[in-house]
Amino acid sequence: MTSRHDPRLKAFASDNYAGVHPEILQAIAAANGGHQTAYGEDVYTEAMGEVFQRHFGERAQAWPVFNGTAANVVSLRSMTAHWEAVICAESAHINTDEGGAPEVAGGIKLLTVPTPDGKLTPELIDRQAWGFGDVHRAQPRVVSISNTTELGTLYTADEIAAICSHAHDLGLLVHLDGSRLTNAAAALDVPLRALTTDVGVDVLSFGGTKIGLLYGEAVVVLNPAAATGVDYLRKTFMQLSSKMRFVSAQFEALLSGDLWLRNARQANAMGRRLAEAVGGIPGVRLTRPVEANAVFAILPRDVTERLAKRFRFYTWNEATGEVRWMCAFDTTEADVDAFAAALADEMPTTHP
């Protein structure tokens, strides 16, 4: 079968647009022969669990699911009772980009906090961490943060440690949306556990699709006392894969060596290169610090419309015209340079 698209064309809309890393495809093929017990009772899922423990500690237990929305909903539902709520940044993915799934499917109340950079702090958490014992208010139970954040910024290990310490002192648990945790760890040059297990995170949603998997994310419980019923919730939310070996084999390939790190470093390096390439173009204003693989900018709206026809990307804020450009593990220097040249070509010759 021939390809229905030009594989030479790259977009800057999302790292989800990228294909599957060849080493992941090899792992899927290697797991394909013969029969293996279904629903996770297979040797690949067992090996995957051991790999997650090497990265996150011997108490860590990982449950593969199909997508990131499910990873977040299953994680948060396992951490909360029906009368409890989750504190998160207003810009958090669970609040803005999951179609209401935490509320509709999970029945979880979100208590949002405006932030300047997508990051919570102990002081910002306190804006919603109140009303304990008040029967009229959903009871705060979990603090959820994203790393990297939806605005492309990073939490350092010290910042997460401060959040976890403060949350735990209040009797709250901490969930980390790690759809791009690999990018954060690569950017900060630290192990994955340095941003999670070692600083007190209780439950992690670990992302695979954005970093080279065909499909699959994982609920990773780091503190067994923080989550209950993940096995049952995964089934209830229709996330129990019958042929789980093909999800698990991908995670084993990603995490058993340095594939996750190589992919994340490539995406991050291309993010920096893109920022440098477009930052000097007259009329283009970078709006946020570039700390991993996301670049945010404002440019003339007519330029945005023309450029988006050549390279797919998203407008982040319709009111301001801010756009977001994402680099993926397969973004190359040539891809970045071609995009920057196209942007320069589309810009008017005079600027205010």
Side-chain angles (χ1 to χ4, degrees):
M1 179 176 176
T2 59
S3 175
R4 292 185 179 275
H5 74 289
D6 185 346
R8 298 169 299 176
L9 296 179
K10 300 289 179 64
F12 290 84
S14 172
D15 31 11
N16 281 323
Y17 277 43
V20 184
H21 193 279
E23 293 178 37
I24 300 297
L25 287 176
Q26 291 171 8
I28 295 171
N32 192 40
H35 287 201
Q36 277 285 299
T37 309
Y39 301 109
E41 299 296 325
D42 61 87
V43 295
Y44 296 95
T45 300
E46 181 182 4
M48 180 213 68
E50 294 170 356
V51 169
F52 269 100
Q53 288 180 341
R54 290 206 296 271
H55 280 282
F56 296 102
E58 61 183 16
R59 296 200 305 167
Q61 188 168 2
W63 284 271
V65 295
F66 291 118
N67 55 54
T69 298
N72 285 333
V73 172
V74 171
S75 293
L76 295 173
R77 182 72 281 167
S78 73
M79 301 171 76
T80 54
H82 287 290
W83 56 88
E84 292 176 329
V86 174
I87 298 171
C88 64
E90 192 173 68
S91 57
H93 196 274
I94 57 174
N95 183 52
T96 63
D97 288 294
E98 291 185 338
E103 298 96 334
V104 176
I108 301 163
K109 172 67 175 177
L110 300 179
L111 303 173
T112 64
V113 182
T115 70
D117 55 4
K119 295 164 63 175
L120 291 178
T121 64
E123 294 74 22
L124 289 175
I125 290 168
D126 284 343
R127 294 188 182 182
Q128 289 286 14
W130 56 271
F132 297 102
D134 182 352
V135 72
H136 300 286
R137 177 171 167 78
Q139 295 294 283
R141 179 56 176 161
V142 176
V143 173
S144 181
I145 61 175
S146 303
N147 205 17
T148 63
T149 74
E150 292 73 13
L151 301 182
T153 49
L154 296 173
Y155 285 97
T156 65
D158 287 345
E159 288 172 328
I160 299 175
I163 287 171
C164 290
S165 176
H166 186 67
H168 292 159
D169 285 346
L170 293 172
L172 306 178
L173 302 170
V174 178
H175 164 260
L176 191 146
D177 182 343
S179 66
R180 296 187 177 98
L181 178 62
T182 51
N183 296 94
L188 295 168
D189 196 24
V190 298
L192 294 168
R193 65 176 295 153
L195 300 174
T196 52
T197 311
D198 293 347
V199 289
V201 171
D202 295 295
V203 178
L204 163 69
S205 299
F206 185 83
T209 308
K210 291 179 173 65
I211 203 65
L213 269 61
L214 172 62
Y215 72 100
E217 319 289 307
V219 174
V220 187
V221 176
L222 307 174
N223 171 15
T228 58
V230 177
D231 270 342
Y232 302 102
L233 289 168
R234 181 172 59 171
K235 179 65 173 180
T236 299
F237 287 109
M238 299 166 285
Q239 293 295 315
L240 180 62
S241 174
S242 58
K243 297 186 178 182
M244 196 180 297
R245 59 169 152 159
F246 299 111
V247 189
S248 302
Q250 294 179 74
F251 278 116
E252 184 185 5
L254 181 72
L255 295 172
S256 60
D258 67 346
L259 179 59
W260 70 271
L261 185 58
R262 284 185 277 129
N263 284 358
R265 283 176 172 169
Q266 176 67 17
N268 291 352
M270 293 305 97
R272 293 190 299 270
R273 184 182 183 92
L274 178 58
E276 292 169 1
V278 303
I281 298 175
V284 177
R285 177 168 64 89
L286 299 181
T287 54
R288 304 182 190 277
V290 179
E291 299 181 349
N293 62 325
V295 179
F296 291 82
I298 290 178
L299 53 153
R301 291 180 187 270
D302 60 329
V303 173
T304 295
E305 293 175 1
R306 293 194 301 271
L307 185 62
K309 294 177 181 178
R310 300 171 64 176
F311 294 86
R312 182 75 181 269
F313 60 88
Y314 294 120
T315 297
W316 185 259
N317 187 323
E318 293 288 350
T320 64
E322 184 180 33
V323 300
R324 186 193 73 170
W325 299 317
M326 294 296 303
C327 294
F329 73 88
D330 63 347
T331 304
T332 66
E333 292 182 357
D335 296 329
V336 170
D337 295 346
F339 179 80
L343 173 57
D345 182 59
E346 293 291 353
M347 291 296 292
T349 56
T350 60
H351 308 279

